[in-house]
Each structure stands twice: as C-alpha cells, then as structure tokens.
C-alpha cells in the first residue's frame, strides 16, 4: 500500500519561492498565533488590531518601529555576514553588549566635549570591541576548528555578566538608587534624533551599512570570496581562496557591526546601560537574517517588520495586559514556519500517479 | 565544617534542575541532535508543573504534565531537525523563544499563587552519616531520583544494547542505517526524552524549589545546561558534578554578595561558560587521529540517506 | 579450492540495472561456488559495484534473478542479504570509530540481549580470529586501529553474522603491501572453510594471484569469465581495456620549446596519509602533450594536485619555468599560469549554485580586467564569459543560470573555456572527457591540441587509453605513484606494452625519478 504522495528532491528552486516561503511562513505563524490566542481566551482580532495600531497606526508608532528596526538591521547584517560563510555566529547578543560597554568606557575615560569626536571614538571602540569578541571565536574555529556555535553562544553570557559586573560595580551611577544603571551620557555623547521622535542617527548608519553590504556581496572581490566559501569550500580551496584568513576577517567584521548596533542603542536611544539592555536583539537578529535569506536590503525590510512585531508586543502589554515576553511566541512560530517552509526549497510533494 | 554542610546541601538542591536538563541534553546530543531550546523547555516545564499542581492539588501530576509538555514541544524540534532536515541551531533557538513566550503568556494569571509542592524526605539510615548524610540524603524525592538517574544513564549508555545504538547513531548514523535500524525513529525518541527531562528540571524549580511561579524563573539555567553537556564531555556523572558545582555557585551568589567579598558575583557566574569554552578548545586541540574525543561526531548534522530505490 | 561440481552458493542471472540513462548492468550472469574466489574485474564505471550492491540488497535490479543456495531470493534491504548469508565489506567502512571492536561487532544485531554480553562476544571474536587468522584486539577502539585492522573488523563482522559469501569491494586500495599479504592469507583461510569470496578489483597483479575465476566487466556487460590459473596479464589487460580502433587524430608536428614544468623526485601522500606519489619525476616542454596513462587510483589525482599547489609535496621539487614552486600556495600556481582542470567538475571545479559568470570569476577574481581594485567588473566578466560560451559551444539559456542546471558536457565546456582562455603556460587536465558524449569529447580533445599548438605545456591524465595514446606526444604510465616508463612515440606503442606497464611491469630500465628525454 503506497502513499498517494511522494517526496522528491528538486533540481532547482524557482525564484518565486524565495519570497513566497518567508511570506507564507509569517502568514502561517500569525494564523497559528491567532489560534493560540483564541484558545487562551484572548481575542486574536483584538490582539492583532492593537498590535497593528500600536506599531503602524500612527506616526509615533512607526517611529518606534524604526527605533527597534535599527539594532535589528545592524545585528541582522552582522549575523548575515557570518551565515553567508556558513559560520554560525550566534553571539550577536554578546557582541552588541561589548559594543555598548566600549561606548560607555569611552565616555567614562576618554570624554571630549565634542559630538563629532565622541561619535568617532565610540564608533571605533564599539566596532573594535565587538569585532574582537567575535574574532576570538573566529580564531578558535580557524585554528582548531572549535565549534563556533558553542563558543559564540557562551560568550553571549560572558558578555552579559561582564556588563552586569560593571553596572552593579565600578560603573554604577550612585544616584540610580534602587535600579542599578550607569550614569547618563552627556549630550556630546548622544546621537542626534529626528524631530520629536526617538529615531536616532543610527538609522542612517544602518541603512548605509546595508547598502555597503549589498555592494560588498555583489560587487567586491572579498564578497565573492565569502560567497564561494559558503557555497563550496572545496571549490574555494581550488580557486586559491584563503579559508582561515577569511573566517577571521568575516567574524571580526560581523562582531564589529553588531558592536556598532550596541553603541547606537546606547548613544542613540537609552543613554545609559542597565541590566538586560540588550533586549534579545542579538537573537531576534537571527530570525531577521534567516527570513531575509541573508540579503542586506531585504534585511532592512524584515527588520522593520520584526520591529513592528516587537512594538506590537509592547502595545499588547499596555493595552491588553499580556506579558512582554508573549511576543516571543510569535517569533518562535515564525521561525518554526520558516524552517519548515525551507524544506520546500529542496523537496517537493509529487502525486504518485499511474506511471509509478 | 559548619558552613560547609549548608553550602553543599544548597549546591545539590540548586544544581538538581540543571542536572535534569543536562542529562536530557546528553541523551539528545548523543543521538546526534543539538537542542538549544533547553531554556524554553525548562520554562514550559516549570509552568506546566505549577499550573497542573495548582489545579489538581497533586504535585506528582504536575511533574508528569511537565514531562509531557516537554516531550510534546521537543517533538516539534525533532520534526524540524530530523524530518525536515532544518538547521538545528536555529530550530533550537526557536524552541527557546517559543517556550519562553508561551510560559509567560500562559503564566500571566499565576504570578503570586503558591502551591504545596513536594517537601523534604530525609532518608532514614543514610541521613545520619556525618557530613555526607545531611548533604546527600536530606532532600526531596526528586533529588534522590536524580542520583538514580545519573547511575542508570551511565549504565544504560555503556552497557545496554540500546545504549550501544544510541552511541552509534550519534557517531555514524550511516552505519546504524546499514544495520537496518531507523535513524529517524531513534533521534525522535531521544530528542523527546531529552525534552521531557529538561521540562522536569524546570518543574522542579516551580513545584519543589520555590513552589511559586515567576516569569523567566529559570534565569538562564537552560543555557548553563547546554554548557554543562560539553563541560562534562557528554558524560552523566561529570554532568552531575558540574551541575552541583555551578548550582552551588549560584546558591552562593547571595551569600557572597552579602559578605561583600572581593570576587564579584557576576564574574563567578561566568565560570560555567568560560570553563566550557576552555574544555571545548582542549578537546578540539587534542584530537585523537582527527576524532574529537567525546563529542558525538554526527552532532548537528542532518542524516541524509543515500538514494536507495 | 574450486569445485564446480557443487551447487553454487549464489547465482545471479540476467541482472540489469539502469540509473537515469546509464546502463550500469546489462544482463549479467554471475555465480559463486563454495570455496572459490571469484573476481570481478573491470575499470571504474564498468559496473562492478552496482552488481554487488544488487547482491547485497542495496539496489533492486530492474530485471534478473538471484538465488541463494538454490532458493530464489528477493532482498529489500541489506539486512535481508545478511540474513541470507551474504556479507559485503565496502570500500568505506561502516564502523563507529569511538566504539570498541566488540561493540562494533554486535551493533544492530537482531536478537541482541539487553545487557551487552561483553565476555561472550569477546570470546567469540577471539575464536573467529583464531580460526580465520584475522588478528584483532576485541577491546581496542576502532579509531586506534590501522586501516588494515579496521578492514579485518569489517570482515569479522560478516563472519560473526555467519555470512557464507563475502564480497570484498576493492579491499586492497587502502592497504599497505604487508596488509595485502595478510588479507590474502585470510581469503585463503576463508575459502578453505568453505566460504565463497567475491573479490572486486581493477589491480591485475593481485587478481592474478588470488582468483579462481575472473569475470571481466566492461561498460556494464560481461566480457568473459576466465580461469585464474590459466589467465595471463596481457589477456586480462586487453579484455579489461577493450580493443578499440585507435582514433586517428590530426595532429600537427611536434614543435616543442623550453621546459615549462620539471618535477623531481616528487613524494606526496593521499588523504589517508599513505604514500600516493613516490619519487616521481617528469618534465614537459612548451607545445607538447605529456600523457599519463594508468588505472585509476594509482596516484594520478594526488600528482595533479601536487603540481597545482593543492597538495603538499613531502619530498622533491616542482619547478615552473625554472622557478622553484615547491610548497607555494595554490594562488601562486594560478598566477604563474598553471591551469588545473580537475576530474571532479561539480565538486571542485565549479560551484553548482552559482551562475556561469560567477563560475568564470572563480579563477579570475584576482585578475585585471575582471577585478578593478577591490571591486569586480561584472561587465568585463560577462563579456569574456559570453565569448567563452560562444567559442566553446556551451549550450545554456543564459549567463545567469546556475551551472548545476547545465549538462555535464556543457559544464565541462565552460570549465575548459575558463581554464584555457587565460593563455596558461601549463595545463593539467585530469580525466577531461570523462562522462561526456561523443561531441563534447571530440571538442575537448580538439581544444587541448589547439593549446598545445599555441605553445602551452599540457599534462593529460586519463584512464582512456585510446585517448591518451592518440593525443600525447610523449606517454608515461603511472603505477602505484611511480612512472613505469615513458614512450617517446605513442603511436608506435602497442596496447600490450602499455597494459603491462599499467600492471606494474617496468619497461626497460627502472625509472630513476626523472624521465629520460
């Protein structure tokens, strides 16, 4: 007794699937989420409407979405770079933290009352800090083939705890009383914002870097080398491409961009660091990179959508008294659906007809 | 000696939830599947255990519900990784997000409630042994169960035919496939077993340890478990020692902060992660004929059966 | 040792098997009697492995029957075959390195007790070891064993499961000469015990030594079955390779110039760490084609990789236009004008998921005008790729198509075009016409000749004797990593001459590590 359907390997993947699968995944996830909410006695219609209104319903909502999209774009680009080489940088969260810490360090120990100077110093320090953090894992992989998934993952928590050490300890703002945090940044260290929104200049940096990455992948020699390594390491060797050098470099750049995300979050938005400031952006960025299929321009779009999701989550908390973490359910569902959907890139379901 | 006993006792109790999760992940990884979703699974287990205990008044039912929940959700991971051959790292992260979110969402109404969980049951004779007695035998039944589980798993993996198959399928699934056994079925089974144990670890926190529900109450223990599997080089006994060690550090954290010692708590808490990286580097550097001693060779790689017609 | 009066242990009749459009096996009859070693001889691609995979239950034949001890059998999986008493030792071992020998022995065994019966198993292994002369330490972990010992474990596994017929697939390809001796002793022991052994190989000297019967396969069909006792090397070589009309190639007169490549005393290891190229020397001049003939697996790939910088050279020197390139990185070889056309076009030479333009760029991303500083000039790339497509007749819907969508012949044309369009000084071509249709094959050969006329030095490595005889100006034969001899005028050489060299018999004086001109 044979099944009416058969699973068959595809020869190639039709182009329309490239956007159809992520789109379909999001739609399926939203549907599943709706069902879940329904069974919990929460009206899905009300919930989704509230989320939409909160995130995209008015100018303030959109600006808040953009605020969230900034670190997501930057971290998404960072993660995407590593993933292009099939190097699993799961450590964006930690690299964001290290970038932020570097920015705070610059303000504490190297403050100059000039906005441009502070910007440059913080930018470079954050990039270096994040870059070295990721580069260390890259070195271990290049030299001894140490599993980068684990090392970058572990270094996330080391970084977060390191930040806690500074926040509770030497960098604690004495006037912060019950809630430990560092002293607020002086004006010169803050990034300018647009109008009366909280959208800061980090947006420009994010978009610029996305364009830069697009140019990198498509038009530069290095981008080409990275893509070859990711596609076929044997062919890369044959072509004379240096594997070890490229892993190190790619991880460094990846960490650097994530570090910049951390810097812009602090200098642009929060103005000081407190426990949990990194907010899971490093992990959400993995969803961004996966949904965007590692495409830099798509990363901007997907970051915006996921930012809307996060702002929607904030709204749900205020309007419907749902815990903030609830939105992670949707994030998880989206990821499930994307992963499941990818199956259809490589395989298709064929009806077993008469000719079998 | 006086301070040692309460510290060690606290270490064991604090390490037990981590131990369950670590043992579960050892099973999963030995079968070749990487499950990074432990944090989410533990939280789901904690919530399930708590809510069912609250509803039925029976903590044992609560624990059973937790195990069931863990198995169900890790089945999703198994489906994605084994059947759909998706990326195991990303799938695990998705499980973490899902589990964290679900437990928070479902647990909304339960914050502030308390239950009568499972209490301490001192072991009659053994509990009187000086030092070791109070440290090891003055706990709740789940701690004792974890001792038994550690011993059982050591024996199971090394000396039984299922343990042999388990070791083989994580090292060379093709050999297992050629021998006529079903690689997918084995991987589903061990992924779900691992998920169930992780959830049990989480339920321990809510049903025994604190007897309350707080959002995010696992506080990163799931990630420590992931680390401990490697730190213990995939061995249940070493995993136990590691769990108690880092559980102990966690328990000590408060005392240390109170005493105001020179070693700040966050730096101590970093230890499991730093040591795990050190161990991983050590086993990567020192390879026996190119084989990573300890790590299942096929870990994280989907198994594709060669075209057979 | 052989008794034709008994009934066969296994009888295969009329086995045919087709994959896609390739006829791997065509109406093959094959049987094995107790106590005999029946060898399946043939070149790569002749159909030996396919036939044996049908026998061991991995493949289902399209037509034909299998009978085991007179009973018709149908195998739906390797487990069925093992249950019927057929055990196969594959080229790639199915062992778990971190487990011990005794654990590997019983892994997956039906009816195994819950608690592993260690003592029993160890004793049984020792008994089998004793009986068959297969020395192996049951408590050792497999990763600690040498390849030869691992192979013994694989054989013991089959004997443990009471296999009566043992199929050994190219067993000597991974062994040192001493280990080969041991293996042959084991085989003789097994036949003395009444087992039937199928020995798959393409190595003539070994086949001659161990076989009772030899069945030669060529292109999926049985050529003949000979008695091992009476067969001669020449006969085997001839039948294996086939008597073909030598393809008359219109070749211009040799006009050789200065020496482009000089290799002296090259020693290189294969992927397993065993010597693959031993004290090999050769030289090639501008405008000449040096052919390397030989049966697959005698170090050809390792030699090609060593000469293009992709494999480290343990001893010896590689000189390119007088410059010592030993130990230089692949990129330096590329920049020095060495073009390597690998046999594995899909796995190494091309990136399947990338399109034609990008695959052209694979070997040109560092070179002007395709690279401008840190940028790539896709315009220039597209231009040259388009020219290659036209000049080399690559049939493709467009330049933006992933190359994995192209047929094998078109992929090869593209790769050839890429490698040859940069006016290389030295072309290392390994199996350039393998798997191609007649038209593509002729085209490739023509291109190589044209490069030769242009003044490039060409190293042509091919298992196709006819091809290498027709195209080469000078022809060397490689055997076990050494040059057995060089023929200055290939057209005057006979296939027997070459066949003998390919079988390991040196021509005239022993080769000294450099090729006499």
């Amino acid at each position: 007794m044979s099944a009416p359907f058969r699973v068959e390997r595809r020869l190639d993947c039709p182009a329309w699937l490239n956007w159809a699968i992520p789109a379909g995944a999001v739609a399926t996830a939203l549907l599943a989420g709706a069902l879940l909410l329904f069974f919990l006695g929460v009206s899905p219609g009300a919930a989704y409407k509230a989320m939409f209104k909160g995130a995209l319903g008015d100018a303030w909502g959109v600006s808040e979405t953009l605020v969230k999209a900034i670190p997501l774009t930057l971290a998404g680009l960072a993660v995407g770079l590593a993933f292009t080489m099939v190097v699993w940088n799961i450590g964006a969260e930690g690299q964001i933290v290290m970038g932020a810490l570097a920015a705070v360090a610059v303000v504490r120990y190297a403050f100059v009352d000039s906005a441009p100077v502070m910007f440059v110093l913080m930018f470079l320090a954050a990039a270096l800090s994040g870059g070295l953090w990721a580069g260390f894992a890259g070195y271990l992989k290049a030299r001894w083939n140490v599993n980068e998934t684990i090392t970058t993952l572990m270094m996330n928590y080391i970084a977060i705890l390191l930040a806690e050490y500074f926040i509770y300890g030497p960098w604690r703002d004495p006037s912060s009383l019950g809630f430990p945090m560092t002293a607020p940044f002086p004006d010169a260290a803050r990034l300018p914002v647009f109008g009366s929104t909280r959208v800061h200049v980090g947006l420009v940096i994010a978009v610029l870097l996305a364009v830069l990455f697009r140019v990198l992948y498509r038009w530069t020699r290095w981008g080409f080398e990275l893509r070859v390594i990711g596609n076929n390491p044997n062919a890369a060797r044959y072509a004379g491409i240096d594997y070890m050098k490229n892993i190190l470099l790619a991880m460094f750049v990846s960490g650097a961009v994530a570090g910049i995300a951390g810097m812009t979050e602090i200098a642009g938005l929060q103005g000081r660091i407190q426990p949990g400031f990194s907010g899971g952006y490093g992990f959400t960025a993995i969803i961004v990179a996966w949904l965007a299929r590692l495409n830099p321009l798509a990363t901007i779009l997907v970051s915006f959508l996921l930012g809307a999701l996060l702002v929607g989550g904030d709204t749900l908390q205020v309007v419907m008294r749902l815990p903030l973490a609830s939105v992670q359910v949707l994030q998880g569902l989206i990821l499930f659906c994307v992963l499941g959907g990818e199956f259809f890139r490589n395989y298709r379901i064929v009806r077993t007809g008469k000719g079998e | 000696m006086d301070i040692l006993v309460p510290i060690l006792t606290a270490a064991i109790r604090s390490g037990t939830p981590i131990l369950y999760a670590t043992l579960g992940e050892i099973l999963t990884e030995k079968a070749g599947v990487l499950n990074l979703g432990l944090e989410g699974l533990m939280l789901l287990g904690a919530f399930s255990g708590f809510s069912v205990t609250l509803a039925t008044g029976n903590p044992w039912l609560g624990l059973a519900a937790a195990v069931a929940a863990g198995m169900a959700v890790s089945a999703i991971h198994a489906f994605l990784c084994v059947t759909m051959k998706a990326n195991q790292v990303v799938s695990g992260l998705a499980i973490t997000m899902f589990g964290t979110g679900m437990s928070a969402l479902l647990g909304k109404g339960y914050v502030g409630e308390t239950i009568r969980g499972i209490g301490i049951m001192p072991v009659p004779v053994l509990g009187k042994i000086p030092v070791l007695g109070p440290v090891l035998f003055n706990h709740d039944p789940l701690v004792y169960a974890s001792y038994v589980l550690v011993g059982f798993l050591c024996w199971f993996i090394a000396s039984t035919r299922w343990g042999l198959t388990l070791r083989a399928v994580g090292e060379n699934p093709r050999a297992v496939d050629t021998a006529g056994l079903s690689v997918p079925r084995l991987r589903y089974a061990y992924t779900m077993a691992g998920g169930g144990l992780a959830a049990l670890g989480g339920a321990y926190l809510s049903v025994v340890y604190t007897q309350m529900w707080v959002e995010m109450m696992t506080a990163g223990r799931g990630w420590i478990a992931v680390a401990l599997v490697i730190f213990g080089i995939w061995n249940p006994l070493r995993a136990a020692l590691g769990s108690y060690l880092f559980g102990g550090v966690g328990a000590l954290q408060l005392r240390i902060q109170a005493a105001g010692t020179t070693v700040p708590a966050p730096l101590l808490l970093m230890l499991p992660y730093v040591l795990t990286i050190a161990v991983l580097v050590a086993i990567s550097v020192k390879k026996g004929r190119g084989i990573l001693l300890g790590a299942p060779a096929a870990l994280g790689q989907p198994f594709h059966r060669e075209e057979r017609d | 040792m052989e008794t034709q009066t008994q009934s066969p242990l296994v009888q295969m009749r009329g086995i045919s098997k087709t994959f896609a459009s390739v006829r791997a096996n065509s109406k093959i009859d094959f049987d094995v009697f107790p106590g005999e070693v029946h060898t399946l001889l043939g070149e790569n691609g002749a159909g030996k492995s396919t036939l044996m995979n049908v026998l061991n239950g991995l493949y289902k034949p399209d037509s034909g029957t299998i009978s085991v001890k007179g009973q018709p059998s149908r195998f739906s999986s390797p487990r069925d075959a093992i249950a019927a008493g057929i055990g196969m030792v594959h080229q790639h071992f199915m062992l778990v390195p971190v487990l011990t020998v005794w654990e590997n022995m019983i892994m997956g065994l039906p009816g195994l007790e819950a608690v592993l019966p260690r003592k029993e198993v160890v004793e049984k292994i020792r008994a089998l070891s004793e009986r068959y002369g297969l020395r192996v330490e049951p408590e050792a972990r497999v990763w600690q064993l040498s390849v030869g010992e691992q192979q013994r474990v694989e054989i013991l596994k089959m004997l443990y499961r009471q296999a009566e017929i043992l199929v050994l697939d190219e067993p000597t390809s991974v062994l040192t000469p001493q280990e080969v001796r041991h293996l042959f002793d084991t085989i003789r022991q097994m036949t003395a015990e009444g087992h039937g052994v199928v020995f798959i190989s393409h190595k003539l000297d070994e086949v001659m030594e161990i076989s009772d019967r030899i069945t030669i396969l060529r292109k999926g069909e049985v050529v003949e079955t000979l008695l091992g006792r009476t067969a001669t090397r020449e006969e085997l070589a001839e039948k294996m390779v086939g008597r073909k009309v030598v393809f008359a190639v219109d070749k211009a007169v040799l006009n050789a110039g200065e020496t482009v490549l000089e290799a002296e005393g090259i020693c290189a290891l294969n992927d397993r760490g065993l010597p693959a190229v031993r004290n090999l020397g050769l030289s090639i001049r501008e405008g000449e084609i040096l052919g390397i003939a030989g049966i697959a697996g005698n170090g050809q790939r390792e030699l090609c990789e060593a000469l293009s910088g992709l494999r480290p050279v343990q001893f010896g020197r590689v000189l390119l236009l007088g410059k010592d390139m030993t130990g230089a990185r692949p990129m330096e070889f590329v920049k020095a004008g060495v073009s390597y056309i690998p046999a594995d076009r899909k796995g190494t030479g091309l990136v399947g998921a990338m399109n034609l333009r990008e695959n052209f760029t694979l070997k040109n991303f560092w070179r002007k005008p395709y690279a401008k500083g840190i940028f790539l000039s896709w315009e220039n790339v597209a231009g040259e790729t388009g020219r290659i497509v036209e000049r080399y007749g690559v049939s493709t819907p467009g330049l933006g198509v992933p190359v994995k969508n192209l047929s094998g012949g078109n992929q090869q044309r593209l790769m050839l075009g890429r490698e040859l369009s940069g006016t290389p000084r030295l072309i290392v071509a390994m199996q350039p016409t393998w798997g191609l249709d007649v038209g593509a094959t002729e085209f490739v050969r023509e291109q190589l000749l044209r490069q030769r006329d242009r003044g490039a030095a060409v190293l042509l490595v091919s298992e196709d004797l006819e091809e290498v005889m027709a195209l080469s100006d000078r022809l060397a034969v490689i055997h076990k990593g050494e040059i057995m001899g060089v023929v200055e005028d290939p057209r005057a050489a006979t296939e027997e001459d070459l066949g003998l060299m390919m079988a390991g018999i040196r021509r005239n004086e022993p080769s000294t590590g450099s090729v006499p001109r």
Side-chain angles (χ1 to χ4, degrees), chain B residues 155 158-162 164-165 167-168 171-172 174-176 178-181 288-289 291 293 307-309, chain C residues 17 19 58-60 76-79 94-99 103 106-108 112-116 143-145:
Chain B
W155 172 78
S159 309
T160 68
R161 84 181 230 216
W162 300 282
L164 179 59
T165 310
R167 285 181 280 151
E171 296 283 344
N172 188 352
R174 199 165 301 279
V176 173
T178 308
L181 300 169
R289 297 241 185 135
I291 295 174
L293 293 170
E307 314 304 341
R308 217 198 267 188
D309 37 24
Chain C
K17 179 77 187 166
F19 289 116
L58 202 60
Y59 297 151
K60 289 198 243 299
S76 50
S77 79
R79 245 191 181 182
M94 295 284 176
L95 296 173
V96 183
V98 295
L99 299 181
E103 288 173 320
I106 53 173
M107 199 270 295
L112 187 59
E113 296 94 319
V115 179
L116 300 177
W143 65 266
Q144 294 169 315
L145 301 178

Side-chain angles (χ1 to χ4, degrees), chain B residues 131-145:
Chain B
V131 181
L132 279 185
V135 167
L136 293 177
F137 298 109
N138 194 23
H139 295 290
D140 54 86
L142 276 177
V143 174
Y144 306 140

Side-chain angles (χ1 to χ4, degrees), chain B residues 72-99:
Chain B
V73 174
S74 53
I76 301 176
H77 183 64
F79 175 69
L80 287 173
C81 298
V82 178
T83 304
M84 294 278 157
K85 309 200 203 293
N87 183 298
Q88 295 183 9
V89 171
V90 179
S91 176
L93 292 178
I95 299 271
T96 296
M97 289 177 197
F98 181 75

Side-chain angles (χ1 to χ4, degrees), chain A residues 10-13 215-242 245 346, chain C residues 310-311 329-331 334 340-342 346-351 353-354 358 361-363 365-366 371 373-376 378 404-405 415 418-419:
Chain A
R10 270 190 209 279
L11 288 168
D12 61 26
C13 182
V215 168
L216 175 78
Y217 291 135
R218 218 153 166 311
W219 282 295
T220 66
R221 286 168 50 175
W222 191 49
F224 179 74
E225 287 178 65
L226 293 180
R227 289 192 294 131
V228 173
I229 295 180
N231 256 300
N232 187 341
N234 277 336
R237 233 186 97 239
Y238 162 72
I241 297 176
D242 190 334
K245 183 183 88 162
N346 293 318
Chain C
L310 290 169
R311 187 168 289 268
R329 282 167 324 139
M331 183 56 95
V334 172
Y340 173 36
I341 302 172
K346 274 190 301 184
T348 305
L350 297 170
V351 181
M354 288 186 161
E358 291 168 313
T361 315
L362 188 65
K363 290 299 244 2
F365 62 89
W366 49 272
I374 60 167
F375 292 99
L376 291 171
W378 290 112
K404 66 179 183 214
N405 291 1
M415 194 162 69
R418 176 188 73 200
E419 294 303 312

